[in-house]
Structure formats: structure tokens, C-alpha cells
Amino acid sequence: MSTALHVPSLRPVLPHDLGVEVVERKGLGHPDTLADAIAELASIRYSDYCLREFGAILHHNLDKVAVLGGRARFGDTDGTYDRPVRVIFGGRISASFAGRPIPVREILQAAAAEQLRRALPGFETMTWQVQHETTDSSKFDHWFAPRGLEDLPERPTAFSNDTAFLVGTAHRTTAETVALLAEAWFRERPWAGSDIKALVIRTGHALDITVCVPAVAGHLSTSAQFQEVVDDAARSLTDQLLLRLPGPVRVTCNTRNSTVGPLSGQYFTLSGSAIDYGEDGLVGRGNARSGLITPGQQSGNEALFGKNPAYHVGKVGGWLVDEASRALAEKTGRPCRIAVMWRNGSPYPEPASLDITTPDPGPGHEGLVREVLHRTDWISDLVDHQRYLPRILPVSQLLADLDPAPAS
């Protein structure tokens, strides 16, 4: 007598459906986020220059930036650097067009200074320097030294420059919004640095939020005072979340801190970041395009920061899947995930594979997504609007995103 094995039908799972969801956010001053943002802003400023001077973005890939930590010597409430922070630009970039030199070093260094100033509340106290290690190496003679616009083959029709898998998701989950909010909430405090890390674990409706937040020199004088202001901010964040969310909420901060001893023994900084302690940052080791680390979204590991916005699949493909998922989520009112694979050399409207995950599959979903994949208007969003430059969203916006929907 044989026994039939019954296998229940399974539908694709989105993070919204998981019993346990984990989300991480590396804040704006985290060394890895600093590297991502410097690379991205350098690409944006270089692209601005090329569009203004030549009418097209020249070939470049600035996604090989390293931020190497310095060494600060701390007193009880302040300190000085005896080893500078170093920003190292790697990657490849066109340094001329039709024989006309481009001030690459000046553009990149200005971008690094602009982003460090934006991201670090103690920027003026820093000692830092820039090291240039970019090259123009290529198997094509004029790829990074174009004689004219005819040496930019992507201009008539952009195509994928590599084989890559990109995932776009919408809308944000509650845990994702809370991770962004945790950084923004603490960053509003005048004493807080910007190297804030938040880890959110959602188990059912329960949220367990762990935050690591530094103090910046000049605002606090004792370790007990530091503990007091951190605890006060954690309590007020908890109160705001309990007003908006159904489950229990716990916020835990600076788990290694002690109120015993000098302030300099806690997470105390000059710049606002652990780069003061020699911590290093590299492009691609931190947040994804969403500004978050979200293992439940089943995304790939393609980092876009600093890549060429004219055609690079890591950036253009990422923008296309993000726009497609946003459009589908807006149409259906439900979360979705769009996963696309492009092969090297394929036009963007012709992916090798397309997978759509949504709670309510519909006959028009694929047509909507493929319509988005035909769009060619990404440069304005990527360069002019700085779509993927790391930033902190306003607390008011994030709280509004968590507000319960009004009863119909």
C-alpha cells in the first residue's frame, strides 16, 4: 500500500509575511557609509562637470573608495589627532576629453570635503587627507581618454555593462522604517555623533531595537550625563513607537557603556565617528540602495555607489527595479519585490529573467514592470536629484509613515 505525500502549495514570501525580520542601518557617519557617500558624491560632481563641459558623462567607476581611520588622543572631554583620517580614491576615470584635461583630483577632493562636512558634526576638528590612486587603464585605447562623443558607445542606446542580478522592493516594512527612524531620532540630539548603528528585530508585532550612538566632544562632561541623555532619548523614542505600533517595543542603547569612569572611556568622539579610533570604511560593505541592510528582501550584493550613472548595470539596473517596484506597489496598494537579471551587453528593456513577487498576482503586473524597464530618464534622477546619495530622512516623515492608516 502506497502513501501519497501531500505538499502544500507555497507562495513567494515577502519580509512582511515573515515571523521574524532583521533590519540593520549603518548611520551617515559610519565609516562604510562615509566611503559609500564620498564615492557617490564624487561620481555626481564629476558627472555634473562632464555634462556641463562636454554634454555627456564620461567613463568612470569611482566605487573603490576607502576611508581609513585616524587616531585621536582623548582627554576627559576633548582630544586631538596624531594620525590623520585618509580618504583613498581608487577606481578608473577619464582624465581628459578630446585632449582637454579634466581637473579630476580637484573634483574628487572637493566632493570628499563636502560629504565629510555634511556627515560629521565634528568635521572642523578633524585632521584628514586625500590620496589619489585612480587609473585610466583599459583594454580599449580611448575608453578613458575619449577623442569625442563617438568614443562613448552607450550614448545612442544604453546597455548592461555586466551580468548582474538586481532586486527592487516597495513599500518599506515597519522594521525598515523603524531602523531609519532610530538613527534620525538620536541624530537630532545636539550631543550625538553621526556614526549611529541601529539593529531592529521584529518578532511578530514585537520590536527589539538596539542602537549604538556616540557623543561628540564639547557637549557632555561626565559619563553619567552621557548615560542620562541617551536613556532619555531612548524613552522618548519608545513612547513614540508605542503610540503608533501594536506590539511591545524595547529600545536598548550602547550596551558596552558604563557610567563608571571618564567620559572618554565611553563612545566619545571628536568627529562624530569611529574613524577617530582607526575604524576603516569601504564602499559596498554597508547599506544597500535603500539605505538599509535587509536580508529578508533576498537581494543581491551589487553596490552602486560611485558607479557610472550613464549605463552601469549596478546603478541603472538598480534604479529601474526600484522604479518598477514603486510603480507596482502604488498600483496595487500591496508590497512587492521585483527581481531582474541582465546579461552583459543586453539592452535594459530586454532582461534575461524577470520575477515578480506580490501577494496578489495579476495579469497586468508584468506589462507595467516591462513598461518601466523601457524608461531612459534615469540620469536626471541619479545626478541632479542625487537619488542614491546616503542621507537621513526627516523624523516627521518617518513617524508619519508609521501612523496607522485612517479607518475607511
Side-chain angles (χ1 to χ4, degrees):
M1 176 176 152
S2 62
T3 302
L5 177 64
H6 174 67
V7 180
S9 61
L10 300 176
R11 68 178 179 86
V13 175
L14 292 163
H16 310 69
D17 305 315
L18 298 173
V20 177
E21 178 188 5
V22 179
V23 179
E24 184 179 357
R25 163 73 178 181
K26 292 184 177 181
L28 202 62
H30 188 285
D32 290 330
T33 311
L34 289 174
D36 289 340
I38 290 170
E40 184 65 3
L41 189 59
S43 171
I44 288 168
R45 295 296 180 236
Y46 177 80
S47 298
D48 280 335
Y49 180 92
C50 291
L51 288 167
R52 184 172 63 251
E53 298 295 325
F54 315 126
I57 297 173
L58 304 189
H59 295 151
H60 69 281
N61 288 309
L62 293 170
D63 56 327
K64 302 298 187 293
V65 171
V67 177
L68 303 185
R71 183 172 62 193
R73 298 299 188 186
F74 295 98
D76 286 339
T77 58
D78 60 6
T80 58
Y81 286 86
D82 63 10
R83 179 187 298 153
V85 172
R86 290 141 293 160
V87 176
I88 301 177
F89 282 100
R92 301 186 293 173
I93 189 168
S94 302
S96 66
F97 179 78
R100 176 181 166 185
I102 300 171
V104 169
R105 289 187 170 220
E106 291 81 357
I107 293 170
L108 303 192
Q109 184 152 338
E114 181 181 352
Q115 186 57 36
L116 289 173
R117 183 177 289 107
R118 175 185 298 158
L120 300 175
F123 171 77
E124 300 302 336
T125 69
M126 285 178 58
T127 303
W128 68 288
Q129 61 190 33
V130 173
Q131 183 175 332
H132 296 274
E133 299 294 342
T134 58
T135 73
D136 60 359
S137 300
S138 174
K139 63 181 179 180
F140 305 113
D141 290 341
H142 300 288
W143 194 257
F144 292 103
R147 297 158 295 185
L149 295 179
E150 66 277 4
D151 285 331
L152 307 177
E154 70 278 0
R155 289 190 72 246
T157 303
F159 54 87
S160 175
N161 68 312
D162 202 352
T163 298
F165 175 74
L166 280 303
V167 173
T169 60
H171 303 285
R172 279 199 308 263
T173 69
T174 295
E176 290 170 359
T177 300
V178 169
L180 294 172
L181 174 63
E183 176 196 12
W185 188 264
F186 280 92
R187 187 64 194 89
E188 284 194 337
R189 275 59 188 170
W191 51 265
S194 55
D195 187 356
I196 299 169
K197 181 185 281 190
L199 182 68
V200 177
I201 300 177
R202 178 188 59 77
T203 306
H205 292 300
L207 289 173
D208 194 328
I209 305 153
T210 303
V211 185
C212 186
V213 55
V216 179
H219 295 274
L220 305 171
S221 56
T222 67
S223 60
Q225 186 183 13
F226 186 15
Q227 190 67 46
E228 181 182 352
V229 295
V230 168
D231 289 346
D232 180 68
R235 280 192 297 270
S236 61
L237 175 59
T238 302
D239 291 343
Q240 289 296 320
L241 292 174
L242 288 173
L243 287 173
R244 292 166 169 83
L245 301 175
V249 174
R250 181 174 66 172
V251 179
T252 305
C253 298
N254 293 11
T255 56
R256 290 184 62 182
N257 267 358
S258 169
T259 56
V260 179
L263 176 60
S264 58
Q266 293 181 297
Y267 192 5
F268 172 72
T269 66
L270 299 181
S271 68
S273 171
I275 56 171
D276 296 351
Y277 300 96
E279 292 283 349
D280 302 331
L282 296 171
V283 170
R285 287 175 51 89
N287 305 315
R289 299 186 311 276
S290 62
L292 297 161
I293 300 168
T294 53
Q297 295 287 15
Q298 301 179 14
S299 58
N301 64 347
E302 186 75 32
L304 63 77
F305 305 104
K307 288 178 176 172
N308 191 327
Y311 66 86
H312 198 292
V313 65
K315 182 163 283 183
V316 174
W319 185 87
L320 288 168
V321 295
D322 286 347
E323 286 295 290
S325 61
R326 180 186 61 80
L328 185 56
E330 288 181 355
K331 175 186 176 183
T332 64
R334 304 297 301 275
C336 68
R337 179 171 57 237
I338 310 295
V340 182
M341 192 269 275
W342 283 279
R343 292 195 179 98
N344 194 343
S346 63
Y348 283 109
E350 302 173 17
S353 69
L354 168 63
D355 179 61
I356 301 170
T357 301
T358 180
D360 301 309
H365 293 356
E366 182 175 344
L368 174 62
V369 171
R370 290 192 179 278
E371 181 180 342
V372 173
L373 297 185
H374 278 81
R375 288 178 58 178
T376 60
D377 56 330
W378 55 77
I379 288 181
S380 175
D381 198 19
L382 295 173
V383 177
D384 297 338
H385 299 153
Q386 303 179 1
R387 167 74 171 266
Y388 294 116
L389 183 65
R391 54 176 53 89
I392 299 175
L393 296 177
V395 166
S396 59
Q397 175 185 331
L398 294 166
L399 288 175
D401 289 344
L402 293 173
D403 283 333
S408 56

